[in-house]
Amino acid sequence: AQKVTQAQTEISVVEKEDVTLDCVYETRDTTYYLFWYKQPPSGELVFLIRRNSFDEQNEISGRYSWNFQKSTSSFNFTITASQVVDSAVYFCALSGGSGGSYIPTFGRGTSLIVHP
Amino acid sequence: DSGVTQTPKHLITATGQRVTLRCSPRSGDLSVYWYQQSLDQGLQFLIQYYNGEERAKGNILERFSAQQFPDLHSELNLSSLELGDSALYFCASSVVASSGSSYNEQFFGPGTRLTVL
């Protein structure tokens, strides 16, 4: 069975601070995919990034960066110089399995509040 | 804008009633997923359709059903509604190869907020 744990329920920071959202996953699959989604107050989930289990290279996109470490089964997300517009709930998800359905398992989400 | 549309945006109804939620996937996406998001349960997968056929079932109640039509839009039917069914219902779509593929990210619609009174 797959499992995604986002231990941080809520994080509160002041604008311009760096913040890291943790994601720890469990899977028995050798091939799997990890995702991050953002859910702003408007409600719609927005896809941010996909990472496959064979690619441990870190990725940077503007102020966003992701650190994937298979050794610790973690896929952490860092926002550098946070802004008020980053306030949202962030979900980590994992997919990869047998049977062809490949339904992603989502974590419970981390609510990030960025204060001006 | 993800390209996935959902209607209605808000729905208020009474217990015991039946409602239908509608979803149109992104152009070219063959797979549609339905999720329920509530405060206590988080984001729960309900059901997946691929090109008109049911592909996977999650925590979907027997009172709930769904279908995907030839034009690929999907409907989620919720019947005998209970107070606990109040939640945000999301539809998502993805490009899924016929054999199934776990690497495809999902694109979510804006959701339908259902309130059962």
Side-chain angles (χ1 to χ4, degrees), chain A residues 25-111:
Chain A
Y25 63 91
E26 295 176 28
T27 181
R28 292 181 180 173
D29 296 313
T30 53
T31 301
Y32 53 89
Y33 296 84
L34 294 160
F35 307 83
W36 275 95
Y37 289 85
K38 173 182 179 180
Q39 186 177 33
S42 58
E44 186 168 337
L45 277 90
V46 178
F47 165 74
L48 295 178
I49 190 172
R50 175 189 69 218
R51 212 15 142 223
N52 73 56
S53 52
F54 299 111
D55 182 2
E56 288 194 70
Q57 279 192 346
N58 292 333
E59 178 149 345
I60 298 174
S61 176
R63 295 184 297 105
Y64 294 173
S65 62
W66 291 268
N67 180 264
F68 175 32
Q69 291 193 340
K70 285 180 77 169
S71 60
T72 56
S73 297
S74 65
F75 185 42
N76 297 336
F77 173 29
T78 297
I79 302 175
T80 303
S82 60
Q83 299 176 1
V84 172
V85 292
D86 296 326
S87 297
V89 180
Y90 292 86
F91 291 92
C92 180
L94 163 72
S95 71
S98 60
S101 63
Y102 300 106
I103 303 303
T105 298
F106 284 81
R108 293 301 299 265
T110 296
S111 176

Side-chain angles (χ1 to χ4, degrees), chain A residues 31-33 35 37 39 42-47 49-50 89 91 95-97 99-104 106-108, chain B residues 1-2 33 35 37 39-43 45 48 55-56 88 90 99-110:
Chain A
T31 301
Y32 53 89
Y33 296 84
F35 307 83
Y37 289 85
Q39 186 177 33
S42 58
E44 186 168 337
L45 277 90
V46 178
F47 165 74
I49 190 172
R50 175 189 69 218
V89 180
F91 291 92
S95 71
S101 63
Y102 300 106
I103 303 303
F106 284 81
R108 293 301 299 265
Chain B
D1 185 351
S2 67
Y33 308 76
Y35 291 86
Q37 186 180 34
L39 283 175
D40 55 343
Q41 295 291 326
L43 198 60
F45 165 71
Q48 177 203 3
R55 290 293 304 276
L88 197 50
F90 285 108
S99 61
S101 175
S102 59
Y103 65 78
N104 293 116
E105 59 270 25
Q106 297 180 0
F107 293 88
F108 284 77

